[in-house]
Amino acid sequence: MLQTVIDTMPLRVFWKDRDSRYLGCNAFFAKDAGVASPDGVIGKLDTDFPWKENAPLYRSDDELVIASGKPKLAYDEPITVAGGRQKWLRTSKVPLRNIDQEVIGMIGVFYDITAAKKTEMALIESENRLFEILENVSAFIYLKDCDGKYLFANKMVRDLWNANLEQIIGSGDDKFFDAASAARIRQEDRRVLDHGESIRLQETNTVTRTGLTATYWSVKIPLRKKDGEIYALCGISTDISEVVRAQEEMQLASMVYQTTSEAMMVTDAEGNIITINPAFTKTTGYTLEEIQGQNPRLLNSQHHDPEFFHAMWSDILATGAWQGEIWDKRKNGETYPKWMTVNTTFKEDGTPYRRIALFSDITEKKKSEQIIWHQANFDALTGLPNRRMFHDRLEQELKKAHRHGRKLAVLFIDLDRFKEINDSLGHDNGDILLTEAARRLTHCVRESDTVARLGGDEFTIILNDLENADDVDRIVKNLLKTMSEPFTLNVDKAYVSASIGITLYPDDAHDIETLIKNADQAMYAAKQQGRNRACHFTRSMENCAKSRMGLSNDLRVALQEKQFWLAYQPIVEMATGAIHKAEALIRWEHPARGLVSPGEFIPVAEETGLIVEIGNWVFQEAAAMICHWRRNYDPAFQISVNKSPLQFLNDGANAKNWLDLMEEIEVPHQSIVIEITEGIFLESDPSVDNMLVKFRNQGIHVAIDDFGTGYSSLSYLKKFDIDYLKIDQSFVRNLPHSARDLALCEAIIVMGHKLGMKIIAEGVETQEQRDLLLAANCDYAQGYFFSRPIAAAEFEKLLWAK
C-alpha cells in the first residue's frame, strides 16, 4: 500500500543506507535512473547511474544528513538522468531512523524545477546584460531610494568616487561630495521625487575623496511601481567639463583679442584685411573702417628690400607660418620695428582660409637690448670693453691677422700699488684713478687697437696690424712713461706704475687661450722683477708657470698625505744659555724630490691660498707639541709660529679657530708667539689690526720677524703691543766686520728695550757674533751656532741635555 502511494506521488522519492547504497525508490525516480522498476536501484551507488559525475556531491550531502541527524531541506542541484538529459532538482533529505530512533540511512525527496530554473536563469542573464550595458556606457548612472540612499552606481561612478559598490549602497551624498554640492543635489532630487517629473540641468560638483571638481549635464528621472507609486530615482550624468572649458576659452580668446596689447590682423587667402583688434589701431593709427579690405602693403615702410619679402612669403607659402623682425610704417608716416608672427588656417581640402598676423612694437625693447648689450660688453666704470668683449675682439683680430699675414700683440697690464691707494684714499678715489688710467691707456694706442678692463686694476690691450715687434716696444715704452706720471685724485696726488706682459701672434701662440696665458705669465714676471716694467713672454716663463702649477698640485696632495713635518730651532737665552723657546719651521718631504725648500713652496702656497690650510696645520702641530713640552720639560716653554699676511686677510676665522683649539687642548695663550713680518702693515687692512688686537687681548705674544728689512715706518710699534723684535740675519752676519751693522743692532736693542720689548737675534753662526750681541744686551738668539732646525725627537734630546 505504502509503495503504491509513493509511486503515485508526483515527486521523486528514494532512500539509502548509511553507506549511500540505495534501499529503494518510487517509479518516477526509477525512470530517471533508467531502470525498469524501483527494485533496479537496490544495493547500487550513485556512481552506477547517469548522474555519476555528481555522485561525490550527493554522497557529501548524504553523509552530512546521516552524521548530523538533521535534515537538509529544499536546496537546488543539477542531475543527469537517463538519456543524458540535464535537469534541475529541488531536493530535501532527512535521516532514516529505526524503531530505536537510530539513524540507519536517509530518505530523499526532490521534484523537477528545470522549467522554473530556465526562467530564472534567463532573467539573470537579462539582468546581467543590462548590468553590462550600465557598466560600460560612457555616462554616470546611479539609482537612489526616496531617502536619498544609493541603490546602485555604475563603474564610471565608482571610479570617479574611488569606491566599490558595497561602500556606495546605503550611503548618501554627504559621503562623496562636499557640503555645498551634497545640499544642492538633495534639493534637486526632492524636486523630482515630490513632483514626479524628470529634470535636466547643468551642475558643478566637487568629489571629496579625489578633490576633483567637474561640470555635468544631468537628467534625473522618477521610477514608479505598477501602481504609479514613486519608489526610486535614476540619474544619468555626462561630464561636459571640456565643453564648458572650450566655451570659456572661446570667450577668453575673444576677450584677449579685444583687450591684448599685441596687435592682431586677419586677412583672407588673397591678403585682404578682414578684421583688426583695438591694439592694431593703437599701434598703427588705422581704424577698421580705414583698413578693412586693404592689403597689408599699405603698412610697408620701404625699409626692406624685395629679397626680404620674397624669403618671408616663401616660408609662409611652404609652412603656413613666419616669425621675425620687420620695420613698418604708421598712419602718421613714422617707421618703427615690430616683432611679427604670421600663421595660416586651412580649409579641409588643405587650401589657405585665413592668415593671422600678431605683432608688437619693439622700439623700447630694442633700446633696452642696446643698453643691456652695452652693459654686458663694456665696463660700467671706465667705458672700456670688458672681458667678454675683449675675447670677442681678440677672436676677430686673430682671424684678420691670419687672413692678411700680419702680427698682433696682446698686452696684460696690472697697476702697481693700486690696492694700497684704494685702501688708504678710499674707493671713490680708486675709481677716479682707474678711469684716468683707462683714458691714458686709450690715448697711447691707435683707434684701431682695443683697450679693455678685465676687472679690478687689470687692463688688456690688443695691438693689431703690426709690421714688426719694434712697434710694440715703442708703444709699451710710452705706456710705462704715461702710467708713472702722477694721478690727481680730488685734492690728493697718487703715484702708481704699471707691470706689463707682452705676447705676440703668431710668434708665441696661435689661439686665444694660449695668448692670454702667455701675456699673464709675462706680466707676472714683470711684477717679480720689480714692477714698473714690461716683459716679453718667453718659453722659460711657461716652464716656470708649469712648475708652479705642478708644485701647487703637489702641495694639495702633501696636505692630504701628511708629507709635511715640523722642525724646531731653539731660541737661546743669551744670559744663561737656557732654552725656553723654539721656532716651529715647516718642512716638506716630497716623495720624488726629497726635501723641498720653504722658500720655493711657501710663495706658491700663498698664491693659491693653500697657505691658510697649511698654516692651520702648523699651528695645530705646534700647539700639540707645546702641550707635551710644557708638561714634561718646562711649564713656561714657548713656541713661535710664523703667520703669513694672507692668513690675516682670511676674514679672522683662523684667529677664532686657533683660540678655540688652545682652549680645547688647554694650552695657555702665552705659550704661543705669532711671528709676522713688517710687510703685513703695508696691507692697510682693518682685519690685520683687529686680529693683532684680538691676539694681544687673549695673551698671545707677537713678534716682528726680519725687523729692519721691510716697512720703514715705526708707527706700528707705538700702535700695537709688540712683545719681540727679531733682528734680521743680514745685520747679524757682518757684526764682527761692520761697525755700521753693529751700531744698527745696538740701536734696535736699545729702542726695543725702551719700548718694553725683548730682542731676538737671528742667524747667529759664530762665537764672535754671539759675544757681540751679548755685550749689546740682546735677550735671545737663534742660529746654527746653537742648533740647526731639528725634528721634535732630536729637539727633546737637546732640551734634556741642557
Side-chain angles (χ1 to χ4, degrees), residues 88-158:
W88 277 91
L89 309 175
R90 182 152 295 162
T91 304
S92 293
K93 293 182 179 180
V94 297
L96 177 63
R97 300 176 185 273
N98 60 17
I99 193 168
D100 297 323
Q101 295 301 307
E102 294 174 337
V103 178
I104 59 172
M106 53 76 61
I107 299 173
V109 178
F110 63 83
Y111 60 91
D112 190 342
I113 59 167
T114 302
K117 197 69 175 179
K118 286 182 178 179
T119 302
E120 178 188 342
M121 292 176 70
L123 180 59
I124 291 173
E125 186 177 351
S126 174
E127 289 177 349
N128 287 341
R129 281 198 298 269
L130 177 60
F131 181 79
E132 190 71 20
I133 292 170
L134 293 176
E135 285 290 276
N136 292 284
V137 70
S138 58
F140 302 94
I141 300 175
Y142 56 87
L143 299 178
K144 293 182 184 178
D145 63 19
C146 293
D147 294 325
K149 303 299 183 184
Y150 284 93
L151 302 172
F152 169 78
N154 74 344
K155 185 176 184 303
M156 284 193 66
V157 175
R158 298 197 301 275

Side-chain angles (χ1 to χ4, degrees), residues 383-629:
L384 295 177
N386 60 12
R387 184 183 298 271
R388 177 177 174 176
M389 178 59 77
F390 164 73
H391 276 260
D392 185 64
R393 292 268 182 93
L394 182 55
E395 183 179 4
Q396 300 306 317
E397 293 298 339
L398 283 176
K399 290 178 181 177
K400 191 193 302 181
H402 176 71
R403 240 182 353 256
H404 299 294
R406 308 286 279 186
K407 289 183 180 293
L408 175 150
V410 176
L411 278 56
F412 261 40
I413 303 168
D414 188 85
L415 302 184
D416 304 324
R417 296 185 62 246
F418 171 75
K419 185 179 186 304
E420 178 185 340
I421 291 170
N422 199 42
D423 290 342
S424 59
L425 299 182
H427 294 292
D428 290 341
N429 282 320
D431 289 348
I432 294 173
L433 191 152
L434 290 172
T435 304
E436 174 61 16
R439 188 191 67 78
R440 293 186 188 185
L441 293 173
T442 303
H443 284 191
C444 288
V445 299
R446 302 162 298 179
E447 286 189 8
S448 60
D449 298 325
T450 296
V451 179
R453 181 187 176 209
L454 299 187
D457 60 343
E458 292 185 348
F459 295 85
T460 56
I461 295 178
I462 304 170
L463 300 176
N464 55 40
D465 201 24
L466 299 173
E467 293 186 3
N468 55 66
D470 294 339
D471 295 339
V472 179
D473 293 333
R474 177 181 52 78
I475 294 171
V476 168
K477 185 177 180 181
N478 189 27
L479 286 169
L480 290 171
K481 176 178 177 296
T482 301
M483 297 306 293
S484 63
E485 293 174 358
F487 286 78
T488 301
L489 310 177
N490 292 320
V491 297
D492 297 304
K493 279 192 181 296
Y495 292 85
V496 298
S497 56
S499 296
I500 304 176
I502 307 163
T503 188
L504 296 175
Y505 167 87
D507 306 52
D508 300 328
H510 293 79
D511 61 279
I512 292 176
E513 288 74 17
T514 308
L515 284 168
I516 291 174
K517 181 183 69 176
N518 291 350
D520 188 42
Q521 291 171 4
M523 187 265 288
Y524 178 83
K527 288 275 189 190
Q528 295 296 102
Q529 292 175 23
R531 307 180 182 181
N532 191 25
R533 67 188 65 238
C535 280
H536 282 268
F537 170 77
T538 62
R539 290 298 163 199
S540 62
M541 292 178 187
E542 186 175 22
N543 294 335
C544 287
K546 287 180 179 178
S547 176
R548 286 199 306 275
M549 182 179 295
L551 202 60
S552 170
N553 294 335
D554 289 350
L555 275 172
R556 298 179 193 278
V557 174
L559 271 170
Q560 296 169 1
E561 297 185 355
K562 298 181 171 56
Q563 296 173 9
F564 294 116
W565 58 279
L566 289 187
Y568 297 90
Q569 187 171 37
I571 299 174
V572 179
E573 188 174 32
M574 296 288 282
T576 65
I579 300 173
H580 302 294
K581 305 178 188 298
E583 181 179 359
L585 299 164
I586 190 169
R587 294 293 182 261
W588 180 13
E589 192 69 42
H590 192 284
R593 298 177 53 186
L595 204 59
V596 181
S597 166
E600 183 180 353
F601 72 80
I602 292 296
V604 176
E606 290 181 327
E607 285 177 27
T608 58
L610 286 171
I611 192 66
V612 174
E613 196 172 346
I614 291 173
N616 288 340
W617 177 85
V618 170
F619 186 86
Q620 291 168 10
E621 291 291 309
M625 189 54 66
I626 202 169
C627 232
H628 172 68
W629 284 338

Side-chain angles (χ1 to χ4, degrees), residues 11-16 29 58 61-62 65 70-77 89-96 106-113:
L11 301 173
R12 277 73 171 172
V13 182
F14 61 93
W15 47 99
K16 299 180 182 178
F29 186 93
Y58 301 156
D61 291 340
D62 296 347
V65 172
K70 295 179 181 179
K72 183 178 181 181
L73 305 175
Y75 62 91
D76 297 348
E77 58 183 353
L89 309 175
R90 182 152 295 162
T91 304
S92 293
K93 293 182 179 180
V94 297
L96 177 63
M106 53 76 61
I107 299 173
V109 178
F110 63 83
Y111 60 91
D112 190 342
I113 59 167

Side-chain angles (χ1 to χ4, degrees), residues 182-192 194 199 220:
R184 191 188 62 259
I185 293 169
R186 283 195 297 271
Q187 186 177 15
E188 292 161 357
D189 290 351
R190 287 304 342 152
R191 282 174 53 197
V192 174
D194 292 345
I199 62 170
K220 297 190 176 185

